[in-house]
Amino acid sequence: MKPSFYDLNYSDLEIVIQQNNLNHSAASVLFNWHYKKKQTAQCLDNIAQCSVVFVQNTFDFSLPEIDTVHESKNDRAVKFLFTLKDQHKVETVLIPFHNKYSICLSSQVGCAMNCSFCFTGTQGLKRHLTTSEIVGQFIQAWRWLANHRPGEQRILNIVFMGQGEPLHNFDAVKKACEIFLSQHGTSIGVQKITISTAGYMPGLKRWSEEIPGVNLALSLHSPFEEKRNELIPINKKYPLEDVLAAIDQIPLNKKQFITYEYILIKDFNDTPEDAKQLGTILTGKSAYINLIPFNSFPGSKYQRPDLDKIEQFKAVLDTFKIPTLIRSTKGDDVLAACGQLNSKN
Ligand code: SAH
């Protein structure tokens, strides 16, 4: 089987072009054609015939196929179910804001973290996604927008908050980021990419050296070890205290901050004491808190608190002067909101 073109970052492609004695401009032409213009046909513009033949014979250009598309009637969020070559499936969500979109990408089929509040976790880990399967979600969603919402194919933010633990699949996620960032291709700004993690230490340790500048979101969910153990089992292996210390080592740009995500679960982690402790451990950090009211899914054991409880929680955090946002739920009518992704069937 041919290797996928979409598994190569720009320097990988340059090396291949060089090793095969092709004109060195072919790399930038090809990246531009496939990532900036997002063409489906083979590239014939500004490229020598021998390069065309080489590229066609050498690489596979297939992408994950769209199986089904659900469009939210409430807010125009779009959830895609993709079929991969081995028939596994993953989901991707486009989240609209002012006719532009953020894309929520999956990094694994299923997930090994087994968090008690997350639908994906109930699937277990099937396998990691390849770089081409990650990048492919983006390209296919972009093409779908071009066809179905012409003029709106602007995906300006990328968040790794779909299925999977992105830092558990570090190499493929890193290479996907390099492709997104490449100025020869999609040229997404480094501050427009956010990777969300449950606190997977081996990946956090590689962050500063290997993906500097990319935004980090930590799924915190409880400042208390015992409660966090219950929600996020890998907390037993990588305790919150160590995770926070590792994050503190990551250098930030001037205006950059770490996002701390906090799911609010009724009668579990939604009291003023929880908020106070959360504020206490985050004080002094470049922090931004995202409060996510729990989204239910078939068989889930938790509930979402009432709005006034959510607002009380935020009011406590406000006294710590930490910027806090209550994340509005998008796409929940089509099970596309946080934690509702599950592609088992
Ligand atoms: N594994 C990564 C990324 C995937 S989850 C992580 O843990 O961060 C993306 C975000 O959705 C995380 O903050 C996660 O905790 C949250 N989430 C998962 N299940 C949820 C649910 N049922 N309701 C609300 N948010 C949920």
Side-chain angles (χ1 to χ4, degrees), residues 117-118 161-162 164-165 196-198 219 221 261 263 294-295 338-339:
F117 51 83
C118 179
M161 294 189 187
E165 167 50 48
S196 180
T197 177
S219 292
H221 307 336
E261 297 164 290
I263 297 189
F294 173 71
N295 292 312
C338 293

Side-chain angles (χ1 to χ4, degrees), residues 104-105 107-108 111 113 115-120 160-167 195-199 217-221 232 260-265 290 292-297 300 302 304 327 329 337-341:
C104 179
L105 297 176
S107 55
Q108 296 176 316
C111 185
M113 301 297 116
C115 298
S116 62
F117 51 83
C118 179
F119 201 15
T120 307
F160 283 89
M161 294 189 187
Q163 286 161 296
E165 167 50 48
L167 297 189
I195 297 178
S196 180
T197 177
L218 175 72
S219 292
L220 203 156
H221 307 336
I232 307 175
Y260 294 92
E261 297 164 290
Y262 193 96
I263 297 189
L264 281 163
I265 300 172
N290 238 325
I292 316 171
F294 173 71
N295 292 312
S296 63
F297 53 84
S300 60
Y302 300 120
R304 161 188 294 213
R327 200 196 277 170
T329 300
C338 293
Q340 294 184 314
L341 302 183

Side-chain angles (χ1 to χ4, degrees), residues 5-226:
F5 175 84
Y6 302 103
D7 275 328
L8 306 182
N9 64 18
Y10 189 71
S11 49
D12 294 336
L13 182 60
E14 275 189 320
I15 291 167
V16 175
I17 297 284
Q18 212 173 32
Q19 282 172 346
N20 290 278
N21 300 319
L22 302 172
N23 188 322
H24 72 273
S25 69
S28 70
V29 170
L30 286 166
F31 245 57
N32 189 281
W33 182 261
H34 288 282
Y35 291 115
K36 198 165 271 167
K37 298 187 179 154
K38 303 177 188 70
Q39 295 289 344
T40 44
Q42 65 166 300
C43 176
L44 301 173
D45 283 9
N46 302 319
I47 186 166
Q49 182 58 27
C50 58
S51 302
V52 173
V53 172
F54 170 79
V55 165
Q56 275 319 110
N57 289 341
T58 309
F59 296 115
D60 171 32
F61 287 90
S62 62
L63 290 172
E65 283 178 19
I66 296 179
D67 177 314
T68 39
V69 179
H70 291 284
E71 295 180 68
S72 164
K73 294 196 177 52
N74 303 342
D75 54 39
R76 306 183 82 236
V78 189
K79 181 168 84 165
F80 299 92
L81 181 66
F82 287 108
T83 306
L84 309 173
K85 277 215 183 90
D86 59 2
Q87 302 308 309
H88 278 309
K89 296 190 197 291
V90 285
E91 291 179 313
T92 305
V93 183
L94 283 172
I95 306 151
F97 60 104
H98 310 303
N99 290 345
K100 302 182 192 87
Y101 292 87
S102 288
I103 191 165
C104 179
L105 297 176
S106 291
S107 55
Q108 296 176 316
V109 182
C111 185
M113 301 297 116
N114 198 22
C115 298
S116 62
F117 51 83
C118 179
F119 201 15
T120 307
T122 63
Q123 273 183 269
L125 177 67
K126 298 292 179 298
R127 69 168 172 85
H128 293 311
L129 294 186
T130 61
T131 295
S132 54
E133 289 167 335
I134 297 171
V135 171
Q137 297 168 56
F138 177 95
I139 298 177
Q140 292 290 57
W142 188 96
R143 287 183 186 158
W144 183 92
L145 282 175
N147 285 329
H148 294 86
R149 298 182 184 178
E152 285 188 35
Q153 60 274 34
R154 279 177 299 172
I155 307 177
L156 300 188
N157 287 287
I158 295 178
V159 297
F160 283 89
M161 294 189 187
Q163 286 161 296
E165 167 50 48
L167 297 189
H168 187 209
N169 185 16
F170 196 96
D171 291 327
V173 167
K174 173 185 165 187
K175 199 164 262 195
C177 289
E178 289 165 350
I179 293 172
F180 292 134
L181 294 169
S182 170
Q183 289 176 2
H184 301 279
T186 49
S187 198
I188 303 251
V190 70
Q191 273 151 35
K192 303 286 182 189
I193 302 180
T194 302
I195 297 178
S196 180
T197 177
Y200 189 73
M201 274 293 240
L204 287 172
K205 289 197 172 138
R206 294 175 63 181
W207 194 289
S208 309
E209 290 293 317
E210 300 190 50
I211 43 172
V214 170
N215 292 312
L216 167 63
L218 175 72
S219 292
L220 203 156
H221 307 336
S222 176
F224 298 111
E225 291 294 336
E226 251 171 55

